[in-house]
Amino acid sequence: MIEFKKTTSFVLVLILPIMLLSCSKGDKKMIYESDLYSIEYDKKSEKLVQAINEALSQNFQRVLDFWGIEKLDNHVKIKIYSELDDWIKFYENISGTQYQDYVVGCANGPDIYVLAYDEYKKTQMHKNDSLEDFQKVMIHEFVHICHNQLCTNKYNYSFIMGEGLATYLAGQLYNHDIKIDFPKETLFSNDFFSISNDLYSVSQKIVRKLVEKVPHEKLIEYALDYTKLYKDWDDLKMGE
């Protein structure tokens, strides 16, 4: 198990919502502000603000401690998309790729974008998700923000460590029985996306094995530079 360093806890301070411009369907966009993050929402997604606050207030410091971050470089901005169609357009624009049914949240720099809970339950992949699952998506994306702050060289970032740590720290479910039977050359290449239909489970299982095998400092080192994990892969006997 990973031990988290004890640091001074943050105190969240609520500031009254601020009215912004009207959105296309006539609902006002509003902003919830705390010392650490802001949430942009509308009337349709207003009830999710409490759920997001609960998830982040309980996990914000824990995730920072995991990464050894005393303070984020930027104030975190969270935007909730209340309509699935708007979310799809946004995602395809920001990613440059076709929307996939499983994508209900993403992180870009210090910003988190998420599809509203009621809307993402319309997707095939997430139709049975609970509100707690939605909260785990928020934690997942926050893990990415912390990871991205420390991993400044994008060429040292790997999907395996990024998604593995995000799903692991968020406590998201994974397939315990999945085998890590891909060659490391495939795992750490773009081909990995086309040969496995359960990328998140493979990634989380790799992270869980690393947690058992290496000190926390080494785990962070691998997260910030995957080439070091690639080099040590065989010695660690990571394959099954």
Side-chain angles (χ1 to χ4, degrees):
M1 296 296 292
I2 296 175
E3 296 182 1
F4 301 104
K5 300 176 182 177
K6 294 182 178 179
T7 59
T8 303
S9 297
F10 288 107
V11 177
L12 300 182
V13 178
L14 173 64
I15 300 177
L16 293 177
I18 302 170
M19 300 304 296
L20 296 180
L21 297 176
S22 297
C23 65
S24 59
K25 296 198 174 183
D27 292 333
K28 294 288 187 179
K29 292 184 179 180
M30 296 173 282
I31 299 289
Y32 167 93
E33 288 277 2
S34 81
D35 290 344
L36 304 174
Y37 55 86
S38 63
I39 306 170
E40 180 181 324
Y41 64 98
D42 60 20
K43 190 66 177 177
K44 185 175 179 180
S45 59
E46 185 175 12
K47 62 183 179 181
L48 293 176
V49 173
Q50 181 177 347
I52 293 174
N53 277 327
E54 181 179 290
L56 291 183
S57 63
Q58 292 177 5
N59 292 278
F60 207 99
Q61 192 64 50
R62 177 178 69 87
V63 174
L64 288 180
D65 290 347
F66 173 87
W67 290 106
I69 296 175
E70 292 187 9
K71 183 180 179 181
L72 290 176
D73 291 340
N74 299 285
H75 192 76
V76 178
K77 296 180 180 179
I78 302 164
K79 181 174 181 178
I80 305 172
Y81 279 80
S82 295
E83 301 292 338
L84 180 57
D85 288 344
D86 291 340
W87 170 253
I88 293 173
K89 291 176 184 177
F90 160 76
Y91 178 78
E92 291 184 342
N93 180 62
I94 197 172
S95 68
T97 61
Q98 186 174 0
Y99 174 71
Q100 300 293 323
D101 191 60
Y102 64 86
V103 180
V104 292
C106 67
N108 183 38
D111 302 332
I112 294 175
Y113 305 93
V114 64
L115 179 61
Y117 174 61
D118 289 343
E119 289 293 296
Y120 93 53
K121 281 179 67 67
K122 295 178 182 178
T123 66
Q124 185 64 28
M125 183 68 70
H126 299 282
K127 62 183 180 181
N128 296 319
D129 279 10
S130 66
L131 185 59
E132 183 180 0
D133 293 320
F134 170 83
Q135 292 175 308
K136 289 178 179 180
V137 170
M138 299 306 307
I139 301 167
H140 178 121
E141 301 306 335
F142 180 60
V143 173
H144 283 319
I145 285 180
C146 295
H147 192 173
N148 291 339
Q149 176 169 311
L150 296 179
C151 187
T152 55
N153 185 343
K154 65 179 182 180
Y155 298 106
N156 290 338
Y157 180 91
S158 77
F159 178 92
I160 294 293
M161 294 304 294
E163 298 302 332
L165 284 168
T167 56
Y168 171 65
L169 289 173
Q172 291 171 303
L173 296 177
Y174 77 107
N175 179 2
H176 294 250
D177 298 324
I178 201 162
K179 302 295 183 182
I180 307 174
D181 54 4
F182 303 99
K184 65 179 181 180
E185 292 80 7
T186 301
L187 285 170
F188 294 101
S189 73
N190 290 332
D191 292 339
F192 183 46
F193 289 84
S194 62
I195 64 172
S196 174
N197 61 0
D198 202 350
L199 306 176
Y200 292 94
S201 287
V202 173
S203 299
Q204 186 175 160
K205 187 153 190 182
I206 288 173
V207 164
R208 286 180 175 274
K209 289 189 71 172
L210 288 172
V211 168
E212 296 174 355
K213 289 175 176 288
V214 302
H216 181 70
E217 293 76 12
K218 179 62 71 172
L219 180 65
I220 298 298
E221 187 178 323
Y222 289 152
L224 301 184
D225 186 353
Y226 85 90
T227 63
K228 295 180 179 180
L229 174 58
Y230 186 92
K231 180 180 178 182
D232 295 344
W233 186 266
D234 295 331
D235 290 340
L236 291 170
K237 297 181 174 24
M238 292 296 294
E240 295 182 347

